């Protein structure tokens, strides 16, 4: 029987699981000599123009991301959206617009915190403000420069990772010290 390539890796990793002060489980790697498993970031690109999807897919995969494409919001809604780290969506599509799609993503508890970047030809200030108010994390106008799109993807993912690190901290670590000092002096 052929051994799974990831099976050997776990022999070299010592893992300690503990419960932090608020009761959440954390996983800490104490020592590792060789790790071959790497979580890849999954991105979903939704656009009714196949050429745009293919351009974005090619360039994002070149950056090391796993990319899937959907050619309509309906097709995307049939997929398991909770597996994606980031969703890039066009606004002007048939049947369900990108705005409506984003509202559905934000109203779903499994995907409400998944970052969304709008890529649209709608470049007016009102459109951008509306997209950001609906819950988009960024907005790129078409025609776009691929270097800018990749930089915006990296920036959104960086902000997302930073927010995840903060929310993983125990509650007492998330409260700034000056707030605690103010509270202790105000309550005294």
């Amino acid at each position: 029987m052929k051994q799974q390539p990831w099976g050997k890796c776990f022999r070299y990793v010592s893992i300690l699981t503990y419960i932090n002060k608020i009761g959440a489980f954390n996983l800490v790697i104490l020592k590792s000599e060789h790790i071959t498993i790497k979580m890849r970031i999954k991105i979903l690109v939704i656009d009714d123009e196949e050429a745009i999807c293919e351009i974005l897919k090619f360039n994002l995969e070149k950056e090391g991301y796993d990319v899937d494409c959907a050619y309509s919001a309906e097709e995307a809604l049939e997929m398991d959206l909770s597996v994606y780290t980031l969703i890039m969506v066009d606004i002007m599509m048939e049947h369900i617009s990108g705005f409506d799609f984003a509202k559905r993503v934000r109203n779903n508890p499994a995907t409400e915190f998944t970052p969304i970047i709008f890529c649209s030809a709608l470049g007016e200030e009102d459109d951008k403000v509306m997209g950001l108010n609906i819950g988009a994390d960024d907005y790129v106008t078409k025609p776009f420069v691929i270097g800018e799109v990749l930089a915006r993807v990296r920036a959104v993912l960086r902000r997302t990772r930073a927010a995840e690190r903060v929310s993983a901290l125990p509650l007492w670590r998330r409260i700034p010290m000056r707030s605690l000092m103010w509270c202790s002096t105000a309550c005294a």
Side-chain angles (χ1 to χ4, degrees):
M1 187 169 102
K2 185 178 177 185
Q3 183 181 7
Q4 295 293 333
W6 45 265
K8 189 175 178 183
C9 301
F10 286 106
R11 286 189 221 143
Y12 299 107
V13 179
S14 298
I15 299 174
L16 171 69
T17 303
Y18 69 95
I19 300 176
N20 69 13
K21 293 182 191 267
I22 59 170
F25 286 95
N26 289 329
L27 194 62
V28 178
I29 298 176
L30 295 176
K31 177 184 175 189
S32 80
E33 298 170 19
H34 186 294
I35 297 178
T36 58
I37 296 175
K38 183 179 176 187
M39 292 277 299
R40 291 191 51 170
I41 293 172
K42 289 185 64 88
I43 298 175
L44 176 62
V45 176
I46 308 166
D47 199 314
D48 54 353
E49 294 181 50
E50 191 172 335
I52 299 289
C53 283
E54 294 306 315
I55 290 169
L56 288 170
K57 180 176 178 149
F58 174 79
N59 286 286
L60 289 166
E61 285 179 343
K62 204 165 85 173
E63 291 285 311
Y65 303 116
D66 281 339
V67 182
D68 293 327
C69 293
Y71 302 108
S72 69
E74 295 85 4
E75 181 183 343
L77 288 170
E78 292 173 4
M79 302 167 81
D80 180 11
L81 298 176
S82 65
V83 301
Y84 294 100
T85 313
L86 173 71
I87 299 173
M88 300 180 73
V89 62
D90 183 20
I91 293 173
M92 296 186 301
M93 294 185 287
E94 290 184 33
H95 306 294
I96 299 176
S97 73
F99 288 145
D100 292 333
F101 174 82
K103 288 176 188 174
R104 291 181 187 196
V105 169
R106 290 291 175 245
N107 290 329
N108 182 347
T111 59
E112 65 183 329
F113 297 113
T114 302
I116 298 172
I117 298 177
F118 281 126
C119 294
S120 179
L122 297 175
E124 297 296 319
E125 179 183 355
D126 293 341
D127 300 317
K128 292 178 184 179
V129 170
M130 185 174 173
L132 294 169
N133 285 338
I134 286 173
D137 296 274
D138 208 340
Y139 194 109
V140 180
T141 56
K142 295 179 190 175
F144 50 76
V145 177
I146 198 65
E148 178 186 357
V149 173
L150 297 175
R152 288 179 182 271
V153 166
R154 285 190 297 270
V156 167
L157 292 172
R158 191 171 47 246
R159 287 191 302 261
T160 303
R161 283 193 301 268
E164 287 171 353
R165 282 195 300 270
V166 168
S167 67
L169 289 173
L171 184 59
W172 62 272
R173 293 279 313 267
R174 286 186 253 160
I175 301 171
M177 285 304 291
R178 64 180 168 270
S179 297
L180 292 175
M181 290 178 186
W182 175 83
C183 183
S184 63
T185 57
C187 297

